[in-house]
Every structure is written in structure tokens, then in C-alpha cells.
Amino acid sequence: MLFLVFHFSRKHPAKEGISTEMTIFAFDMKKLLLFALALLCAWAAQAKVVLPQLFQSGMVLQRGCPIPVWGVADAGETVVVTFRKKTYTASADANGRWQVTLPKQKAGGPYELQVASRSQQGKAGEPIVLSNVLVGDVWLLSGQSNIDVTIERVYPWYTKDIDSYSNDRIRLFRVQNETDTHGPKTDIRPTGINWKPLSKQNAWLFSAVGYFLGREMFGKNGVPQGIIVNSWGGTPIEAWISADSLQRDYPMLVEKTRLYQDDDYVQAQARANQLADRRWNAMLNEKETFFTAPDYDDSDWTTIDQNTWGWRGIGTTWLRQHVHIDKAHAGQPARLLLGTLFDQDFTYVNGKQVGHTGYQYPPRRYDIPEGLLHEGDNVIAVRFVNKYGTVHFVKEKPYLLAFGADRFSQNPMPADVIPLSTQWKHHVGVQMPACPSADVSLQNLPTTLYNAVLHPLAPYALSGVVWYQGESNAGNPAPYADLLRKMMGCWRDRWQNPQMPFVIVQLANYMEPSDKPQESGWAALREAQRLVAKEDPHAELACIIDLGEAVDIHPLRKREVAQRVAQCFDHMLWHPQTLLSPQVISSSVSGSEIILTLDQPIVTQNELHEFEVAASDGRYQPAAATARGNSIVIQSPLAAPRTVRYAWKNNPARANAYSLTGLPLSPFQLTLP
């Protein structure tokens, strides 16, 4: 007997979009029955429990608090969780969701965690077995690109330290970037770094702050550390806040995101961008002449100085430099350091491409293979591709050829180097019209990151949160304090933990220093961060006003940032007597003298810089200041000072008020009594 068509379909009630479906054509009865039996077995096997992406072998669970374990299964099924020889059960609700809560655990491991489902008929499914599970402290790090900065980026600052360290008790997890305009998701995307043990290789493209924080906290407590990094460069704070938290006071922010809930429109815009970019590059390459050959005659090109040069065109422009290599360095492998460039570059040495960077921020560190450099004249050629802004070199960065075993280090500077000249030969390549752009950038819209990558993480038990963000909101700092409070509030609500600790990393010093009073969005945002941390009993401020770089929005001293974050957590959670950055606790005015009382002594200085005072007109003037124990005495140039501020600039380079332990006084603004 023949059956022409047999169709079987089953859709999982708790896993949207997951289905089992099969169609069979023209089977005889015996074969059909055998196939149907096999299919039913496969179908039953798929009816097992599913865990969120965070639950994987190698994970770290939070010590000292109840530990939620959750997932989905068939509605009504019993889920059995086994951990440390004890079992815990839960029933999947009508939507297939279930959760058990493990009791408080002491630090330790490795352990095994098993999760299995049992149908209403009592049949057990194949268990999920998670091995090498540790119990310790778990930290969530979030924000924008200064969290994203990788170990690869900061490696030259800490070469020997990174080379010599690995630790299986520190585990790293990177949340995959994703957005959602419609509402909160139930899980994150599969990620590339899944609770990997800390090593140079595993951390190479991992957050440097996260890497060093794990090391710092392990050094302080000696227990396993879990580091979850969930960040996205360039994103504003409103992208990380729930719609419910924004709706009352910022309804237009929520409406802004609703404009992009039409997936067809968003996909069409993304497709249009891809096509425009592809066409622009094709036209560019059709016209381009490449000036990479070492014997090309560039004598009639214009000579420019990289410290003053800039090119505002759209398209390509070329620079060439001739470098003399002596006999001792000829043929040796080398590393070419080209500082930081704006924007995209393709770099060649003696006609061979040695590097390419697609955007402005990464340091250019290009390896030159053995044998490429020869004795005598060698040529470095740089092809810039520019779609907006001004092509330029970033000052105060290294521009050199480094040789020898320490060529991968720049702090301290490699011993064997040939500096590059600041003089280059310049020639305009292809001039182009502006590239059309319909970029949506969903990650910058309100709520989209909360929905896609924050909401799904809860209620995974945490020890604390690091928030390192603000650069993208510095252009409009006025609402930042309120938005930061809302963000912290909605995250605490999501975890059902009103006391969840936050460390807020204050914006570092950045941009050209000024010796005059300066109104600054960066300073105003730092003040918002300070005030929110001050008023919140479960938050601390990590002040890094001395760790920035004038020419780099991504300063590289991330170990020092992590050390200050670790000090804040240590103060909040274990050793409250430990002093952090100095804080002003009171102020008084006596004649022309303003006295600020601090919570601790500061380093004695004959002269403190970056203090300013203003009368009721709000016009600030520099003021002389000195340190006396735990007081700062300011000599006001005004008869009736009303406000005083410190380090209120984009880059208060002369700020020099420090605690006895070396921590900087935070920038601030105070109204005087």
C-alpha cells in the first residue's frame, strides 16, 4: 500500500519560531510506520528543556545569595535541576517558562549542574550537563566604547604582565551585540566568548577593563570571578533604559523608537546603505591610481608636515615617506607605528600592504615581515579613504619603526627604533561626491539595547555592575543625571534587587587643555555622574580625571581604571572603612577666603590648580588654592563668591589635588553658603 503524502508538524509553545516539520512522499506501509516511529522519537527528544545562553559549561555562579536558574520547556513539564548532589524542581507554566532558585552557595568548584525535563507522563528527557561550574563573584560591565577597548589595544602598555598571566578561576563572557525596537527579548544571541578562562589568547579581543577587573577582584578575594561584558561603542544612555522607565518623563524618546518598528523599512534602509557604500567604493576603485611602488617618482608631490596638515576632501589622498634603513636593520622584522589616523587607511611598505584600519580610533600598529626592509631607501605609502571630516594625523602618538624583541611595547618605548619624519609627500588621489547614507543605527535609539541585551540577562545573580558611559551624551548633559537614575532603577527592578551595587566610571580628561575658564559638556556630565553616585547609598564613583589623553577618546590605561573600580566595589561590599577619592563634605566663607573641608587629608601642595569661583553673575575666574590637611583654602578674587568649581574643563590637565593614597579629587561644582 502506498501513501502519497504524510505531513507532521509541531511548534514548540515556549520557543517562538522553533518547529519540527516533515513531509514524506510515497512510502509503503511498513516503511511509513518505521519512519513515523523514528520521527516521533526525534520529536520527543526535541521536547527537552532549553537554558538561556548565559548557562553554559565553565560559567560562574554568584556566591552568597540565592541563585536563579531558569529556561523553557513544554508547558506543564516538570524540570529537575541537580547541583552539588541536591535536586530542585519546578513546573513549566502555560508559556513553557520555569525557574528554580538554588540556595546560597560558598565560593568553590568546579561543580556539575544538570537540568532535565520530565513529562506529565513521567518520562525523563535527556539532561543538559554543564561542567566546570564555579561559584564566586559575577560582575556585569556595560556602557560604550571605553568598555569595548580590548586587550589587543592596550597590550603595549602591559606587555610583560599580560604575557605572563593566565587564570582558570577567572571566566570571561561577551554578550553579542543586538537590538530590538519592539520590546524586551527573552534571550541573547549566541556569543563568541562563552565563559572562557582568562588567558592572553582568550582575552585578546575582550574588554581590557573587564580583564583587569577580574584580576583585581581575584587578587582581593581569592574566589572565582565571572566577568560579563555587555557594551556597544557610541551608544547613548537612553538606549539602555526600558520603555516603562522613559515613558512618563520622556515620551518622545519612546515614540522615536516606535518609528523604527517596521522591520521592512529598517531592512530596506540597511540594504540601501550597503548598496550605496558598495557603489561608492566601486566608483572610487575604478578611478584610483595606486602610488605604492617604491621606485615611483614622487619628487613633484607637495611636501606637508603631519603636525599641521589636514585634508578636507571626499575620496582618497596619498602620502609617501622615504626612510633610510641602515645595514644593521636591513631585513629585520619590524613594527610600524603610525599613531592614530583619521579616518580609513591602507598602508604599504616598499609596495606591499602591511596594514589596513577602517576607522579613526584604533592605533596603527602594523607588522613588517622579515626581509621586506632593505638597506638604503625604503618607502612608506599611506592611502587615506575619506567619506567625511578632515584627514589628519593625531599628535602626541608614536610614529616610528620599532625593531627587536620589545618592538610590541610602547610603554616604555622600545629601545631600538627609527623615528619617522614629520615630513611627507602628498598627492590627492580620487575626488568623490559624498556617499549617500540612510543609516538607522538602531543601537542608538532609546530602549533598543535594554530590550535586546540587558533584559534577557536577568535574573542571573550578580555581585555588581560597572557603568562606563557618557561620551555620547556629553553634547546634551542636562538630562543625564535623571536618565542615569532611571537606568539604575530599571536595572535594579529587573533584577528585583534595589541594593544592586553600581560603580559609575566618571568621564576622563580629553581634548585640548585650556588655561582659561571653560564651559564644558564633559564637565557637566561628570558632575551629573558625581551627584548621582553621591546620593545613591549603593553606588560609588570611580574618578579617572587623570587617566585620559588629550588626543584619544579611548585612553589606554585600563588597568588603572579597573583598579579604581575594584577599590569602589571593595569599599561598598567588604571594607567600608577604605577611603576612595576625596570628597568635599562642607564649605564655608570667611571674607575673601573659602574653606572646603574634605573627608580625608590630601597631599600638601603649595599651589593647587584648576579652582575657579564666580559671583551671582556666573562668570568664573581662576582662584589660588592651597592644601592644608583635609582642607582646601581658596583665595577668592571676588568680593562675594557664590559658587566654586574644580577641574571644570574638557581636559583639566593641571588638576593636582590627590589623596594620600594617590586618588584624584573628583571635578565638582558647589554653591557656597
Side-chain angles (χ1 to χ4, degrees):
M1 180 182 295
L2 292 177
F3 281 64
L4 294 179
V5 177
F6 172 79
H7 182 81
F8 178 85
S9 178
R10 177 181 185 277
K11 197 171 186 70
H12 198 297
K15 291 172 277 185
E16 183 179 350
I18 300 176
S19 63
T20 304
E21 186 169 316
M22 192 70 65
T23 304
I24 303 101
F25 296 94
F27 282 86
D28 63 33
M29 188 59 149
K30 184 177 180 180
K31 290 182 178 179
L32 180 60
L33 289 174
L34 290 173
F35 187 84
L37 181 61
L39 184 62
L40 287 172
C41 291
W43 172 77
Q46 287 200 8
K48 63 184 180 181
V49 67
V50 176
L51 292 172
Q53 285 294 317
L54 276 172
F55 288 86
Q56 301 180 20
S57 292
M59 68 182 179
V60 181
L61 300 175
Q62 178 60 46
R63 63 172 170 154
C65 69
I67 303 170
V69 179
W70 73 97
V72 293
D74 284 338
E77 284 194 343
T78 298
V79 177
V80 180
V81 177
T82 304
F83 185 65
R84 301 187 67 186
K85 300 181 180 180
K86 294 184 179 180
T87 59
Y88 311 86
T89 62
S91 294
D93 64 18
N95 295 314
R97 299 186 181 93
W98 60 268
Q99 179 176 315
V100 302
T101 302
L102 308 182
K104 295 179 181 179
Q105 304 286 325
K106 292 183 179 180
Y111 304 118
E112 183 177 273
L113 186 146
Q114 290 193 18
V115 184
S117 61
R118 188 168 61 234
S119 69
Q120 297 181 43
Q121 291 74 33
K123 186 173 182 178
E126 188 72 21
I128 298 173
V129 179
L130 304 182
S131 60
N132 196 17
V133 175
L134 301 178
V135 178
D137 292 327
V138 182
W139 311 98
L140 173 62
L141 285 72
S142 192
Q144 56 182 112
S145 55
N146 269 302
I147 284 286
D148 283 342
V149 169
T150 63
I151 283 295
E152 184 274 334
R153 182 86 67 90
V154 307
Y155 177 70
W157 282 81
Y158 313 107
T159 304
K160 293 181 180 179
D161 194 21
I162 293 171
D163 284 344
S164 62
Y165 189 86
S166 62
N167 191 333
D168 181 63
R169 310 289 281 179
I170 304 173
R171 307 286 172 80
L172 312 175
F173 189 101
R174 180 66 167 95
V175 176
Q176 186 75 16
N177 287 346
E178 190 175 16
T179 63
D180 199 297
T181 60
H182 299 278
K185 297 174 72 71
T186 58
D187 201 3
I188 57 175
R189 293 171 57 192
T191 184
I193 296 180
N194 302 316
W195 293 118
K196 292 184 179 179
L198 185 148
S199 66
K200 176 183 175 182
Q201 180 180 2
N202 289 339
W204 193 243
L205 298 179
F206 192 76
S207 163
V209 175
Y211 168 95
F212 285 118
L213 180 63
R215 291 182 55 170
E216 288 293 322
M217 300 312 295
F218 184 85
K220 288 180 180 295
N221 298 323
V223 303
Q225 301 293 313
I227 304 296
I228 302 172
V229 170
N230 185 20
S231 54
W232 195 324
T235 54
I237 190 172
E238 53 267 29
W240 298 92
I241 305 175
S242 68
D244 289 346
S245 299
L246 291 172
Q247 183 62 52
R248 188 186 71 177
D249 297 320
Y250 304 96
M252 286 301 100
L253 290 181
V254 179
E255 290 298 296
K256 181 179 179 181
T257 300
R258 289 186 60 204
L259 289 171
Y260 295 91
Q261 288 182 343
D262 185 330
D263 293 337
D264 290 340
Y265 168 70
V266 171
Q267 291 169 9
Q269 294 294 89
R271 177 63 174 162
N273 255 4
Q274 292 174 357
L275 293 174
D277 189 69
R278 184 186 305 169
R279 181 59 186 152
W280 193 90
N281 283 301
M283 292 173 59
L284 179 74
N285 291 329
E286 287 171 4
K287 300 178 181 180
E288 185 73 278
T289 299
F290 282 73
F291 303 101
T292 60
D295 58 354
Y296 175 81
D297 183 5
D298 55 24
S299 60
D300 61 345
W301 286 19
T302 304
T303 300
I304 62 96
D305 187 298
Q306 69 181 45
N307 292 322
T308 58
W309 173 77
W311 185 70
R312 296 179 180 274
I314 303 297
T316 63
T317 196
W318 287 81
L319 296 176
R320 285 167 59 94
Q321 179 171 154
H322 294 256
V323 181
H324 181 81
I325 300 296
D326 57 28
K327 184 176 182 179
H329 293 101
Q332 288 191 23
R335 171 163 275 203
L336 173 62
L337 301 185
L338 273 182
T340 306
L341 308 173
F342 184 95
D343 186 36
Q344 181 178 184
D345 76 285
F346 296 82
T347 297
Y348 306 82
V349 172
N350 290 337
K352 179 180 177 61
Q353 183 174 319
V354 296
H356 167 230
T357 303
Y359 66 109
Q360 63 177 303
Y361 293 119
R364 272 54 169 181
R365 303 172 186 146
Y366 298 147
D367 291 325
I368 300 175
E370 184 177 359
L372 184 57
L373 294 173
H374 53 257
E375 186 177 359
D377 185 61
N378 295 257
V379 175
I380 300 170
V382 182
R383 176 187 182 234
F384 289 93
V385 179
N386 193 50
K387 293 184 177 180
Y388 69 96
T390 303
V391 176
H392 63 276
F393 292 83
V394 175
K395 299 177 183 178
E396 301 175 23
K397 293 290 185 178
Y399 295 89
L400 53 87
L401 285 165
F403 298 85
D406 67 343
R407 65 183 180 276
F408 301 105
S409 174
Q410 69 184 46
N411 186 36
M413 183 68 69
D416 189 2
V417 303
I418 296 178
L420 299 184
S421 170
T422 62
Q423 306 295 304
W424 294 77
K425 291 289 190 175
H426 171 237
H427 179 75
V428 175
V430 177
Q431 292 187 314
M432 293 282 292
C435 183
S437 176
D439 186 29
V440 174
S441 297
L442 294 180
Q443 75 275 13
N444 295 328
L445 294 177
T447 78
T448 56
L449 298 183
Y450 175 86
N451 291 341
V453 293
L454 192 283
H455 183 275
L457 301 184
Y460 198 90
L462 304 173
S463 196
V465 176
V466 180
W467 179 247
Y468 191 173
Q469 189 275 343
E471 297 90 341
S472 290
N473 289 91
N476 180 27
Y480 192 83
D482 186 47
L483 291 171
L484 182 53
R485 295 184 193 102
K486 290 182 185 302
M487 189 210 77
M488 294 164 64
C490 77
W491 288 25
R492 285 167 171 161
D493 287 345
R494 177 66 185 132
W495 265 266
Q496 297 183 356
N497 181 4
Q499 298 182 356
M500 187 161 69
F502 275 80
V503 170
I504 302 164
V505 182
Q506 197 179 41
L507 291 184
N509 50 309
Y510 173 55
M511 292 181 275
E512 191 72 23
S514 172
D515 58 0
K516 297 179 181 178
Q518 180 185 66
E519 296 309 313
S520 163
W522 278 58
L525 195 133
R526 290 188 195 110
E527 180 71 350
Q529 293 172 319
R530 183 186 74 86
L531 292 174
V532 170
K534 181 181 179 180
E535 71 188 20
D536 190 315
H538 306 292
E540 289 292 349
L541 183 75
C543 177
I544 59 168
I545 194 62
D546 58 334
L547 298 181
E549 299 181 36
V551 296
D552 199 336
I553 200 171
H554 304 120
L556 299 181
R557 295 170 61 190
K558 297 305 187 196
R559 180 174 62 186
E560 290 80 354
V561 173
Q563 288 170 341
R564 293 183 188 178
V565 170
Q567 288 171 326
C568 290
F569 280 129
D570 188 55
H571 172 85
M572 276 194 287
L573 298 175
W574 300 292
H575 301 105
Q577 73 278 7
T578 303
L579 293 174
L580 302 176
S581 287
Q583 297 187 48
V584 178
I585 57 176
S586 66
S587 61
S588 62
V589 181
S590 177
S592 62
E593 199 169 72
I594 302 167
I595 300 176
L596 306 179
T597 302
L598 310 181
D599 64 347
Q600 59 187 288
I602 61 173
V603 176
T604 300
Q605 297 278 0
N606 293 327
E607 184 178 5
L608 295 175
H609 303 291
E610 304 288 10
F611 281 89
E612 300 167 354
V613 297
S616 56
D617 62 4
R619 295 184 177 181
Y620 281 90
Q621 296 185 29
T626 56
R628 298 178 187 172
N630 66 337
S631 296
I632 294 174
V633 181
I634 303 169
Q635 303 299 325
S636 172
L638 305 174
R642 298 302 305 139
T643 56
V644 59
R645 66 188 189 186
Y646 170 67
W648 196 272
K649 294 174 181 176
N650 296 328
N651 184 2
R654 302 178 69 209
N656 62 336
Y658 285 85
S659 72
L660 300 181
T661 58
L663 294 176
L665 174 66
S666 167
F668 65 83
Q669 181 172 278
L670 297 175
T671 300
L672 296 169

